Every structure is written in structure tokens, then in C-alpha cells.
């Protein structure tokens, strides 16, 4: 079992910046994927930015150049640095980790979600 703890959500004005953090704990031997998804009201959950072991980061086209995902394997954590935020970035952001532990196959895990609101 793996638990994901998210922090850093909140409200910011357009053009502002915000950083989300996620720490994973529990039965983890290695994580093949760590990153962030988001879901806006009335829309499906979408990938924002993920880091794949051996491949590096992948970004949604709408955030590339503005967001940066970074992982710290030693701490089993992943951050999302968001800059030049717009109202269209308003959503609930979910930490995502695909990891295997002792006696477990690779398994997806989701955080509870943290609200990001961008408004004037």
C-alpha cells in the first residue's frame, strides 16, 4: 500500500506562480512514473506533467514552457512548478504515482487532489 500526500494548492492571480508537492510513502521499491493530472469542472481528468523513469518528463501541450515537473527519488517526492498561470489552469490537481513494492507488481496510486484556483 502506498499513500500520497499533496500540498501547495491555493488561489493565485493570473500570471502568478504556484508550486505543488507530493510525497509518497509506504511499500515502494521503485516508481516508474511520478507526476500530476488535473480535472476541471465538467471535464475529464487529463495528464498535466509526468516523469517516466528512463525517459524523462512529458508535458501537456497547454502547459509546456510554463510548468516544470521534478522528482526526487531519494525522498519519493514529485513537485510541479507552475508559472504564468491563467484561469484555464483552474482545476483539482492530483498527484499520480505508478510504483511497485516488495511483493507487488506496478500499481497506480492517486492523491486525494488539491484545488488550484486562478482568478482576478
Amino acid at each position: 500500500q502506498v499513500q500520497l500526500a499533496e500540498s501547495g494548492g491555493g488561489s493565485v492571480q493570473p500570471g502568478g506562480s504556484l508550486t505543488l508537492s507530493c510525497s509518497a510513502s509506504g511499500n515502494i521499491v521503485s516508481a516508474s512514473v511520478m507526476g500530476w493530472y488535473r480535472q476541471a469542472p465538467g471535464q475529464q481528468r487529463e495528464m498535466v506533467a509526468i516523469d517516466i523513469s528512463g525517459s524523462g518528463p512529458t508535458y501537456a501541450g497547454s502547459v509546456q514552457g510554463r510548468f516544470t515537473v521534478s522528482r526526487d527519488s531519494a525522498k519519493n517526492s514529485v513537485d510541479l512548478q507552475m508559472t504564468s498561470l491563467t484561469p484555464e489552469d483552474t482545476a483539482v490537481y492530483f498527484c499520480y504515482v505508478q510504483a511497485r513494492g516488495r511483493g507487488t507488481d506496478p500499481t497506480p496510486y492517486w492523491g486525494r487532489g488539491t484545488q488550484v484556483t486562478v482568478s482576478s
Side-chain angles (χ1 to χ4, degrees):
Q1 182 63 28
V2 172
Q3 298 274 55
L4 306 181
E6 303 156 319
S7 63
S11 298
V12 66
Q13 293 186 344
S17 300
L18 204 61
T19 298
L20 306 180
S21 298
C22 175
S23 296
S25 61
N27 184 18
I28 298 177
V29 172
S30 63
S32 58
V33 182
M34 299 190 74
W36 295 86
Y37 287 66
R38 70 185 180 188
Q39 186 169 19
Q43 301 184 28
Q44 292 186 320
R45 189 173 300 184
E46 64 176 352
M47 187 273 289
V48 177
I50 58 173
D51 184 272
I52 303 174
S53 296
S55 297
T58 298
Y59 297 93
S62 59
V63 308
Q64 191 160 24
R66 299 189 298 120
F67 291 11
T68 301
V69 63
S70 59
R71 66 188 297 181
D72 187 332
S73 296
K75 297 191 297 184
N76 288 323
S77 66
V78 60
D79 291 350
L80 183 67
Q81 295 176 297
M82 304 182 292
T83 63
S84 301
L85 287 162
T86 74
E88 287 67 44
D89 295 314
T90 296
V92 177
Y93 285 70
F94 298 88
C95 181
Y96 172 80
V97 174
Q98 185 178 71
R100 69 175 183 90
R102 295 190 65 182
T104 67
D105 294 325
T107 303
Y109 299 95
W110 294 94
R112 291 182 176 272
T114 183
Q115 178 71 46
V116 172
T117 301
V118 185
S119 63
S120 300

